[in-house]
Amino acid sequence: MLDPKLLRSSMDTIAARISKRGFVIDTARFNDLEERRKLLQVRMQELQNERNVRSKEVGHAKASGKNVDDVLKSLKDLSDELKSVEEQFASTQIELEDFLARIPNVPHESVPDGKSEEDNQVVRVWGEPKKFTFTPKDHAELGAGQGWIDFETAAKLAGARFVVLRGPLARLQRALIQFMLDLHTREHGYQEISIPYIVNADCLFGTGQLPKFREDLFSVSGDSERYLISTAEVPVTNTVREQILETVQLPVKYVCYSSCFRSEAGSYGKDIKGMLRQHQFEKVELVQIVKPSESYHALEELTRHAEAVLQRLELPYRVVALCTADIGFAAAKTYDLEVWLPGQQRYREISSCSNTEAFQARRMKARWRDEAGKIELVHTLNGSGLAVGRTLIAVVENYQDKLGRIHIPRALQPYMDGIEVIE
C-alpha cells in the first residue's frame, strides 16, 4: 500500500508515475474521500470538545443544586450527533482504505517504460540453446509414453490443469527440490522455513493478493475466511507482520519449498498443453526482509541466487527487466528469468524476482528500529528459486536425446543415486 501522506502531498506526481503501469487513479474520488474525512474529523473533534464542556457544566450545576434537565437533554443530543459523526468517519475511513488498497505500487525510476510485455528489456543472456540433430520433443510427449507424466489420471482425480508424475520423473522433481534447498541454504545464506499451506485473509492482504486478486485464489470452506497459498511468499513474508525488528536481525533471508495453488482465472486457453500452467505446482521461494537502503542491492543478489540454480543445471536462460506495464501489483521492480525450452523453441519464465520496497510492509505493519531508535518500515523482496515444475520441464527438454532418453545434469546426479540417464 502506498503512503497516504505521500498521495495527499504529491497526488499528481504519483498518479502520473502509476499511469505508466496502465492504471489510472481516480483522483477526484480520492480528493472527495479526503475532503469528507477531514470535515468529519474536524466536526468530531468539535463535538468531543463541546461534550467535555457540557459535562463539566452538568457537574457544576449539580454541585450548586440547580436543575440540570435542560443541560442533560442538550448533552444527550450532542452525544447522539457525535455518535453519528463517528460512524460516518469510520465508514469513510474504511472506504478510503479500500480505495488505497487497490492502487498498485509505484514503479522504480529504473523500470523501463512500456505498454506490454513486448517492451520488456533483456538484461543479460547465459548459455546458448543446444543444437539438436533431431527435432526435439516437448516434455509432455517425452513423459507420456512411459506414463511418467499423466494428465488423464490427474483429470480423473481433480480435473484439468493437474498432473500425476510417476517413477523417475517424480524422483527427478524431488531431486530438484532438494538440490535447490541445499544450494540456497549452504551457499547463499538462507534459512530454510516450512510454512502452512492455508492462510487467513490478513496474510493475503499483507502481500497484496487481497482484495484485488480474490478470483485467483482457492478459498477453503469453514468458519473463517481462509485460502490455499498461491505462493510461499505469502506466509513467509507475513512471518514479520506486525513486528518491529531490531537492526541485528536484518537482513532476514528465508528459503521455502511449498506447493502452490492458483485458480488461473482469466487464463483459459493459455498454455493449456503440458505442465506450464497448473492449478497446483511446486516452488522453492526466496524471501528477504531488509533495510530500505539495501533493498536494491538485495534485489540484484536474490536474482543472482536464482540464476545460480540454472547455471548449475547448465540450462540456457536470459534475465529480463519487466517494463512498467508488466510488473506485478506489489512490485516496484522485477527481473524475470526465462529458460530456453527446446520443445517450444522459445524462452519461458521460470522465476520472477521483485523488490516491493515498503508496499507490503505498510500493509503488514512490518517495521525495524535503527541504531538511533527510529522506527520505520522494512523493505521486502521475493523470487522463485526456482519454480520446480518448469525447471523439470527445462531439464527434460534440454537433456533429451534422439532415443527419447533423459540425461541427468551433473549437479543432480548425487541426488539421483548417481543415475546418469533415465531410460
Side-chain angles (χ1 to χ4, degrees):
M1 184 180 292
L2 301 181
D3 185 350
K5 295 179 181 178
L6 184 62
L7 283 173
R8 290 167 194 148
S9 63
S10 308
M11 171 55 85
D12 291 342
T13 301
I14 298 300
R17 291 176 64 185
I18 289 181
S19 69
K20 294 180 179 181
R21 302 181 57 128
F23 184 93
V24 178
I25 298 178
D26 188 345
T27 55
R29 181 161 178 254
F30 175 77
N31 292 333
D32 178 66
L33 287 169
E34 268 294 290
E35 184 64 23
R36 194 194 318 166
R37 181 191 65 82
K38 291 176 185 176
L39 291 173
L40 289 169
Q41 187 171 33
V42 170
R43 183 56 181 159
M44 189 166 59
Q45 291 171 344
E46 290 174 348
L47 291 170
Q48 288 170 342
N49 293 335
E50 191 174 348
R51 182 185 59 182
N52 293 337
V53 172
R54 297 278 181 87
S55 296
K56 291 179 181 179
E57 289 177 357
V58 171
H60 292 320
K62 284 183 176 181
S64 60
K66 294 181 180 179
N67 187 304
V68 296
D69 290 347
D70 290 342
V71 180
L72 285 174
K73 183 180 183 306
S74 174
L75 182 60
K76 182 182 181 304
D77 291 342
L78 191 150
S79 296
D80 288 344
E81 183 183 356
L82 175 59
K83 181 180 179 182
S84 175
V85 172
E86 286 175 337
E87 289 174 350
Q88 293 176 60
F89 179 78
S91 176
T92 301
Q93 281 284 78
I94 291 172
E95 195 174 348
L96 184 57
E97 288 170 5
D98 183 70
F99 177 87
L100 294 172
R102 296 175 186 275
I103 300 174
N105 204 352
V106 178
H108 188 260
E109 58 187 12
S110 64
V111 174
D113 289 345
K115 296 182 179 180
S116 73
E117 63 181 17
E118 300 299 321
D119 297 313
N120 294 341
Q121 295 182 4
V122 176
V123 177
R124 54 184 172 270
V125 178
W126 189 93
E128 293 185 5
K130 181 179 178 180
K131 295 180 180 179
F132 292 89
T133 58
F134 58 94
T135 301
K137 299 176 181 179
D138 69 18
H139 64 284
E141 188 177 0
L142 285 163
Q146 304 295 330
W148 296 336
I149 298 178
D150 186 348
F151 298 106
E152 291 183 3
T153 300
K156 181 173 65 175
L157 299 175
R161 295 200 175 185
F162 291 90
V163 66
V164 169
L165 296 178
R166 292 192 182 92
L169 290 197
R171 185 176 186 180
L172 182 58
Q173 175 173 267
R174 175 161 52 92
L176 283 166
I177 294 166
Q178 189 64 58
F179 162 68
M180 292 178 193
L181 289 172
D182 283 351
L183 177 62
H184 296 313
T185 55
R186 294 174 180 176
E187 298 186 28
H188 298 155
Y190 290 83
Q191 179 183 8
E192 186 173 350
I193 185 171
S194 179
I195 42 79
Y197 289 3
I198 297 175
V199 294
N200 57 37
D202 288 342
C203 286
L204 290 157
F205 177 83
T207 46
Q209 282 76 18
L210 287 179
K212 187 174 177 64
F213 302 105
R214 191 181 303 272
E215 66 176 5
D216 292 327
L217 303 167
F218 284 112
S219 61
V220 179
S221 61
D223 56 0
S224 61
E225 186 180 3
R226 295 187 297 174
Y227 300 84
L228 293 173
I229 61 171
S230 55
T231 167
E233 168 203 343
V234 176
V236 175
T237 309
N238 272 276
T239 58
V240 298
R241 189 173 84 231
E242 298 172 357
Q243 288 188 31
I244 299 176
L245 301 172
E246 302 300 331
T247 301
V248 294
Q249 295 177 270
L250 297 176
V252 174
K253 296 172 66 175
Y254 282 131
V255 59
C256 180
Y257 157 72
S258 77
S259 293
C260 306
F261 307 88
R262 297 182 186 178
S263 71
E264 296 294 348
S267 66
Y268 302 106
K270 184 178 180 181
D271 293 332
I272 59 173
K273 184 179 180 182
M275 292 172 53
L276 274 168
R277 195 178 294 272
Q278 299 281 287
H279 289 311
Q280 176 184 326
F281 58 95
E282 319 306 304
K283 191 149 66 82
V284 171
E285 186 75 2
L286 305 175
V287 169
Q288 292 198 28
I289 316 294
V290 304
K291 300 174 184 177
S293 62
E294 298 175 359
S295 67
Y296 278 94
H297 169 76
L299 176 60
E300 300 298 327
E301 177 189 68
L302 186 148
T303 303
R304 291 290 188 182
H305 292 160
E307 288 181 72
V309 178
L310 293 168
Q311 292 175 9
R312 298 291 178 88
L313 296 175
E314 301 177 73
L315 294 170
Y317 71 90
R318 66 185 185 183
V319 180
V320 177
L322 299 193
C323 71
T324 50
D326 204 29
I327 55 175
F329 177 79
K333 183 173 183 176
T334 298
Y335 292 118
D336 269 8
L337 307 188
E338 298 179 347
V339 68
W340 177 257
L341 297 184
Q344 294 192 23
Q345 288 293 296
R346 60 181 291 197
Y347 287 99
R348 296 304 302 260
E349 177 198 335
I350 198 167
S351 173
S352 283
C353 301
S354 299
N355 183 0
T356 74
E357 297 184 355
F359 188 84
Q360 292 179 333
R362 183 170 286 104
R363 298 165 80 103
M364 295 188 301
K365 297 181 177 63
R367 296 156 291 170
W368 71 292
R369 193 193 329 267
D370 67 15
E371 293 84 348
K374 181 182 177 182
I375 296 175
E376 60 178 307
L377 296 168
V378 296
H379 280 194
T380 62
L381 303 96
N382 64 81
S384 302
L386 301 165
V388 178
R390 292 195 174 195
T391 309
L392 177 69
I393 291 171
V395 169
V396 167
E397 293 192 7
N398 279 278
Y399 281 88
Q400 64 180 293
D401 64 22
K402 63 182 179 181
L403 300 178
R405 300 178 301 178
I406 310 300
H407 295 257
I408 304 300
R410 285 172 292 182
L412 290 181
Q413 290 175 16
Y415 296 92
M416 297 284 289
D417 286 340
I419 294 175
E420 297 181 4
V421 182
I422 296 175
E423 298 287 348

